[in-house]
Amino acid sequence: RLREAALVLDVGKIGIPDNVLLKPGPLDPHERARVETHAALGAEMVADVLGAEQVSWVRSHHERWDGRGYPDNLGGIMIPSGARLLAVADAYDAMVCERPHRGPLAVDAAWRAVREASGAQFCPDVVEAFDRLVDMGTVEEIYRDAADGGSATSTDPAPADLG
C-alpha cells in the first residue's frame, strides 16, 4: 500500500504549469504557493483508486514534524504514519536526483541533510529507520536498480524544504 501511494505521490503536479515545475532557478513566493497545491490536488485525484489511508499519505507527504508543512500544517503524530515515511523518501530522492535548477547531491550530503532535519522537518523515528537502511546498503541498491531501468518515485522541482 505504501508503494502504491509512493507511485502516485506527486500526481497533483499535473495541475502545475511546466514553466513553474521546470523553472531553472529558485521559485518566487507565488510559484512556490502553486507547487504547494499539488499534495491536496493529488489526494483528490487518487481518492477513487486508493484507500482512504493511502489518500491521507498522498495529501500529507509535505507536512513537517514541526507543523510548518503543507497543506494542513499538521505536526508530530498528527501526520499520518505513511506520510511520515514518504516525506523522508521523497525528500531524499529529490536531493539525489537531477533537477532543472541543479545537479544531484551526493548521497552522503543528501543523507546528512535529512539527518539534520530530523525533529524539524522529519519524524525522528523515520529518520532513524531510514538510517538503518542506508547503513545496510538498501538505499544504494534501490538507486542502483533504478539506474538499471527502474524508476524514481518523485518529481519534486526542489529538494523538499532543505534546498
Side-chain angles (χ1 to χ4, degrees), residues 12-143:
K13 287 185 180 175
I14 198 166
I16 311 299
D18 283 349
N19 67 324
V20 174
L21 283 180
L22 304 175
K23 184 177 178 180
L27 300 176
D28 67 34
H30 176 73
E31 293 165 332
R32 180 90 178 147
R34 292 280 311 262
V35 170
E36 288 180 0
T37 65
H38 85 276
L41 178 59
E44 289 176 32
M45 293 172 69
V46 301
D48 290 336
V49 294
L50 294 180
E53 187 175 31
Q54 291 169 302
V55 172
S56 75
W57 301 341
V58 170
R59 180 177 179 89
S60 300
H61 75 278
H62 283 291
E63 297 292 357
R64 292 174 48 110
W65 193 249
D66 62 12
R68 297 181 330 162
Y70 62 89
D72 302 310
N73 300 108
L74 301 177
I77 62 170
M78 297 304 296
I79 302 169
S81 59
R84 293 181 229 163
L85 295 165
L86 291 172
V88 171
D90 186 51
Y92 180 83
D93 185 68
M95 288 184 274
V96 300
C97 292
E98 182 103 18
R99 295 294 183 238
H101 64 284
R102 61 146 183 86
L105 290 179
V107 294
D108 60 329
W111 186 239
R112 196 168 36 255
V114 169
R115 281 187 185 142
E116 289 170 4
S118 179
Q121 185 173 350
F122 305 117
C123 170
D125 292 339
V126 173
V127 173
E128 184 180 318
F130 199 79
D131 197 29
R132 288 193 300 269
L133 293 174
V134 169
D135 287 345
M136 292 170 26
T138 304
V139 175
E140 279 186 49
E141 183 179 323
I142 290 167
Y143 282 89

